[in-house]
């Protein structure tokens, strides 16, 4: 116990701090009753909440205050200062709240407030009697949780083709694969959670058809589930290589926990790996396999890894990073065959390999949506409320193509946080709340000790500007098209990433206000 207290930083806020030392908009890190917390002044009000983000333990003291919320610097979760509620994914759990007393020119943190999480609304008439969610990934899980959090008390069924309950997919190519995270880190929730929340989670439940007339879904085992409202959150599937040897057991893909387990098992007995694909998954896998001391060769069609997404300078930096960690690149080429011992490239090179990992992109899993006759446009077309072309059917996550307010284009992205936030918004819209999905896309990547966070969406850009020093891993990269700022990437500048998100949000809000004004004007 004394060790824990010794680790706590800042003042003991139970002893009180001078009000004059609490600047408006500043975050004071301290502790009370043996727990780290932050004390914040907003106008005349003072708030004390837990200092540790409930996602991956990010330091909220280094986050950004926006109105009566604080945003986490690592992956942009957002917590209410008033209730501690996790308002935005990726955090799913609230932080604790304490009562703050002002007396004699000082602020004292008093007792922890009970049930400091969220207010639950109670379900009202007009809500669907039953909701079916197809998919137990980021979007599906977030939707199920949100439905219950919003007070939905009707029947709630989550059907997932996966054999595992919802888990932390981004970790599968990072710490879990590298061997630095054990499997008990991976589930998003315990099995009891779904029971307690009365979420009927069915695993290994492959939905093969939607009967939109009779409002029911059909499973591969012949079962049917009726719905009043349906959420499709079927995610994406890895693109498969069709080349000689492509189906050998040593050739792995990575989407599911089972895939990652199989990859770990193979990695334990491998010395040499070939990774086909030099994008995020491929490069994260390469880094994790290097952590296991496996000799890694990366094969990619592009001449500069990640150039299309992050620009040539960052791409070259990432290549160098991997080379410094012992990775060999074979770029501008592709694999033509795989055999028991090696991978042969178009260039004629032959690379010995005990293990091959293919990460050449994913395709949205839209077969069900197509069968149901939903409007499709390189994904499932949804409106700003994430509703598909058939009323009562919503779509979220990797499959959804939505009208993005920043670019004024319909976009589809494959990001964890976006999928979760869409799940949350879709859930509220299933309950009739008419909430627009206008979150700014966010993703992150981790390779070795290098991390990059990306805010916004620049599918195409014609100008990049780097402010700071890329080599020193301290910079902000801005992506523009036709002069318009579309995205910002930050390296070791978490707070700038949060400011960029806020700036994009304000741009979107201003545009929405302007178009509402135009519509309203005679
Ligand atoms: C290894 C890996 C690492 C990643 N790392 C990052 C990262 O660092 N940062 C980031 O932003 N993003 C990352 N991503 C992307 C992120 O995980 C996805 O964008 C996100 O999971 C999409 O969520 P989703 O709910 O749309 O789909 P998924 O999470 O894929 O879930 C889809 C669900 O639908 C189920 N399903 C599919 N079809 C059916 C059917 N017919 N019937 C029943 N169930 C069905 C599946 O079994 C699954 O449960 C990573 C992805 C992978 C694979
Ligand atoms: S650690 Fe806070 S959002 Fe991930």
């Amino acid at each position: 116990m004394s060790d824990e207290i010794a680790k706590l930083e800042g003042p003991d806020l139970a002893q009180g701090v001078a009000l004059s030392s609490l600047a408006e908009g500043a975050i004071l890190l301290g502790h009370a009753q043996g727990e780290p917390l932050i004390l914040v002044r907003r106008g005349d009000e003072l708030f004390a909440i837990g200092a540790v983000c409930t996602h991956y333990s990010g330091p909220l003291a280094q986050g950004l205050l926006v109105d009566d919320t604080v945003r986490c610097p690592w992956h942009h979760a957002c917590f209410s200062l008033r209730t501690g509620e996790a308002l935005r994914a990726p955090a799913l759990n609230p932080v604790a709240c304490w009562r703050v007393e002002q007396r004699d020119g000082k602020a004292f943190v008093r007792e922890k407030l009970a049930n400091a999480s969220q207010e639950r609304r109670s379900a009202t008439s007009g809500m669907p009697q039953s909701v079916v969610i197809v998919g137990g990934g980021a979007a599906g899980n977030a939707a199920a949780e949100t439905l219950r959090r919003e007070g939905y008390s009707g029947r709630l069924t989550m059907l997932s083709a996966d054999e595992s309950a919802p888990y932390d997919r981004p970790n599968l190519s990072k710490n879990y694969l590298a061997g630095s995270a054990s499997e008990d880190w991976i589930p998003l929730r315990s099995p009891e959670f779904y029971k307690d929340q009365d979420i009927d989670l069915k695993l290994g439940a492959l939905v093969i058809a939607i009967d939109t007339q009779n409002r029911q879904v059909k499973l591969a085992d012949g079962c049917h589930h009726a719905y009043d409202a349906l959420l499709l959150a079927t995610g994406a599937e890895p693109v498969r290589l069709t080349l000689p040897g492509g189906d050998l057991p040593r050739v792995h893909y990575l989407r599911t926990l089972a895939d990652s387990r199989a990859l770990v098992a193979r990695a334990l007995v491998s010395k040499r790996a070939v990774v086909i694909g030099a994008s995020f998954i491929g490069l994260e896998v390469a880094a994790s396999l290097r952590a296991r001391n496996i000799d890694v060769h990366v094969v990619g069609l592009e001449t500069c890894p990640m150039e299309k997404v992050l620009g040539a300078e960052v791409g070259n930096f990432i290549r160098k990073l991997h080379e410094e960690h012992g990775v060999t690149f074979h770029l501008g080429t592709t694999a033509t065959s795989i055999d028991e011992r090696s991978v042969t490239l178009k260039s004629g090179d032959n690379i010995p390999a005990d293990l091959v990992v293919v990460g050449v992109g994913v395709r949205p899993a839209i077969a069900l949506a197509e069968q149901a006759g939903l409007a499709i446009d390189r994904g499932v077309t949804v409106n700003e409320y994430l509703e598909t072309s058939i009323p009562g059917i919503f779509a979220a996550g990797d499959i959804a193509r939505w009208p993005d307010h920043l670019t004024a284009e319909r976009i589809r992205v494959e990001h964890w946080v976006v999928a979760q936030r869409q799940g949350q918004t879709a859930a509220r819209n299933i309950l009739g709340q008419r909430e627009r999905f206008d979150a700014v896309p966010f993703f992150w990547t981790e390779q070795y000790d290098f991390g990059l966070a990306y805010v916004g969406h620049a599918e195409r850009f014609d100008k990049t500007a780097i402010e700071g020093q890329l080599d020193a891993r301290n910079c902000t990269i801005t992506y523009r098209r036709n002069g318009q700022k579309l995205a910002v990437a930050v390296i070791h500048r978490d707070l700038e990433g949060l400011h960029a998100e806020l700036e994009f949000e304000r741009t979107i809000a201003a545009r929405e206000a302007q178009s509402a004004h135009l519509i309203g004007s005679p």
Side-chain angles (χ1 to χ4, degrees):
M1 184 69 181
S2 56
D3 278 356
E4 276 173 35
I5 289 173
K7 276 188 225 148
L8 297 171
E9 289 178 54
D12 181 348
L13 300 169
Q15 302 298 318
V17 284
L19 283 170
S20 55
S21 67
L22 292 171
E24 169 66 26
I27 304 178
L28 176 66
L29 174 64
H31 57 92
Q33 300 147 19
E35 291 189 51
L37 53 85
I38 55 172
L39 182 61
V40 174
R41 179 205 283 270
R42 296 310 260 163
D44 294 338
E45 293 183 284
L46 292 175
F47 301 103
I49 65 167
V52 181
C53 176
T54 55
H55 177 231
Y56 278 6
S57 306
L60 295 182
Q62 293 165 33
L64 181 68
L65 294 175
V66 181
D67 304 325
D68 56 357
T69 68
V70 61
R71 298 184 184 186
C72 176
W74 286 1
H75 315 104
H76 297 199
C78 175
F79 296 91
S80 164
L81 292 171
R82 293 182 187 282
T83 64
E85 184 181 358
L87 298 171
R88 294 182 181 185
L92 299 175
N93 289 320
V95 289
C97 280
W98 282 262
R99 186 172 69 83
V100 186
E101 187 184 350
Q102 299 187 36
R103 190 162 48 87
D104 304 333
K106 282 183 146 188
F108 296 87
V109 170
R110 299 303 194 197
E111 73 280 2
K112 198 186 269 190
L113 298 171
N115 300 323
S117 63
Q118 57 279 339
E119 274 174 37
R120 283 168 191 268
R121 291 190 181 82
S122 50
T124 54
S125 60
M127 289 206 181
Q129 287 195 353
S130 64
V131 179
V132 169
I133 298 172
V134 184
N141 184 74
E145 292 202 12
T146 305
L147 283 164
R148 288 300 186 224
R149 200 183 284 183
E150 294 287 336
Y152 176 64
S153 55
R155 204 163 65 240
L156 176 52
T157 310
M158 182 161 41
L159 304 168
S160 176
D162 206 310
E163 296 294 341
S164 303
Y167 47 81
D168 185 344
R169 199 176 303 280
N171 214 308
L172 300 182
S173 51
K174 303 181 183 71
N175 306 62
Y176 180 70
L177 183 58
S180 52
S182 58
E183 193 156 326
D184 54 346
W185 284 28
I186 301 301
L188 293 179
R189 295 296 191 185
S190 67
E192 293 72 45
F193 175 84
Y194 298 100
K195 282 197 195 107
D196 292 348
Q197 295 288 315
D198 197 16
I199 297 168
D200 187 9
L201 170 61
K202 297 202 184 299
L203 299 175
L206 178 70
V207 177
I208 53 166
I210 306 169
D211 177 349
T212 56
Q213 291 295 313
N214 297 306
R215 293 195 161 220
Q216 56 178 8
V217 296
K218 183 179 178 194
L219 273 66
D221 65 6
C223 284
H224 290 83
H225 288 272
Y227 64 82
D228 280 336
L230 177 68
L231 173 65
L232 289 181
T234 47
E237 297 152 344
V239 172
R240 304 261 153 189
L241 278 188
T242 49
L243 79 183
D247 51 3
L248 284 169
R250 70 184 51 213
V251 179
H252 291 255
Y253 289 82
L254 179 52
R255 183 74 194 179
T256 64
L257 177 54
D259 292 341
S260 198
R261 281 189 192 129
L263 194 45
V264 169
R266 176 75 62 173
L268 289 174
V269 294
S270 296
K271 288 198 167 58
R272 289 171 301 252
V274 169
V275 176
I276 302 177
S279 199
F280 287 107
I281 299 283
L283 292 176
E284 289 185 0
V285 166
S288 296
L289 294 179
R290 286 300 298 137
R292 291 180 178 271
N293 220 11
I294 293 172
D295 183 33
V296 177
H297 289 243
V298 173
V299 178
L301 264 178
E302 56 276 73
T303 50
C304 170
M306 313 297 308
E307 180 177 4
K308 255 181 90 179
V309 185
L310 297 175
E313 278 161 296
V314 181
N316 285 326
F317 169 85
I318 288 178
R319 175 183 180 159
K320 208 168 101 205
L321 170 82
H322 280 267
E323 286 172 342
E324 283 164 6
H325 282 84
V327 171
T328 307
F329 281 92
H330 305 262
L331 297 172
T333 187
T334 185
T336 50
S337 66
I338 302 170
D339 64 25
E340 292 295 341
R341 278 188 218 91
S342 65
V343 175
T344 302
L345 306 185
K346 201 171 176 187
S347 57
D349 288 349
N350 184 268
I351 317 167
D354 318 302
L355 160 66
V356 178
V357 187
V358 182
V360 293
V362 294
R363 283 198 193 98
I366 55 172
L368 264 185
E370 282 177 323
Q371 169 277 327
L374 301 178
I376 302 286
D377 168 20
R378 297 159 293 149
V380 180
T381 304
V382 292
N383 64 15
E384 57 198 328
Y385 305 106
L386 304 178
E387 197 162 20
T388 67
S389 54
I390 298 188
I393 303 184
F394 294 77
D398 283 4
I399 58 167
R401 187 172 289 278
W402 81 96
D404 174 49
H405 293 269
L406 193 61
T407 49
E409 290 172 356
R410 297 190 146 270
I411 65 170
R412 189 185 70 76
V413 303
E414 291 150 8
H415 307 341
W416 180 253
V417 173
V418 173
Q420 289 184 311
R421 291 184 182 172
Q422 289 193 341
Q424 294 175 325
T425 294
R428 288 191 275 267
N429 289 333
I430 283 171
L431 301 181
Q433 293 183 24
R434 299 293 280 172
E435 175 183 294
R436 281 194 185 129
F437 183 76
D438 54 11
V440 177
F442 169 84
F443 77 79
W444 79 99
T445 182
E446 283 161 31
Q447 297 164 33
Y448 313 103
D449 57 349
F450 168 78
L452 175 145
Y454 181 102
V455 183
H457 183 69
E459 208 155 295
R460 288 165 288 117
F461 48 87
D462 50 33
K463 192 167 179 214
T464 58
I466 299 181
E467 192 267 301
Q469 287 182 300
L470 182 54
D471 281 339
R473 301 188 187 187
N474 184 341
C475 65
T476 304
I477 309 123
T478 306
Y479 300 88
R480 292 177 192 272
R481 188 169 71 228
N482 301 329
Q484 189 193 349
K485 194 197 254 192
L486 294 176
V488 169
V490 290
I491 298 169
H492 278 186
R493 288 190 176 184
D494 293 333
L495 200 53
E496 287 210 16
L498 285 169
H499 278 293
E501 180 182 66
L502 187 61
E503 186 189 327
F504 284 137
E505 283 170 9
R506 290 188 171 149
T507 307
I508 291 169
R511 285 195 191 142
E512 283 174 355
Q514 201 180 12
S515 61
H517 176 73
L518 285 177
I519 291 167
S521 54

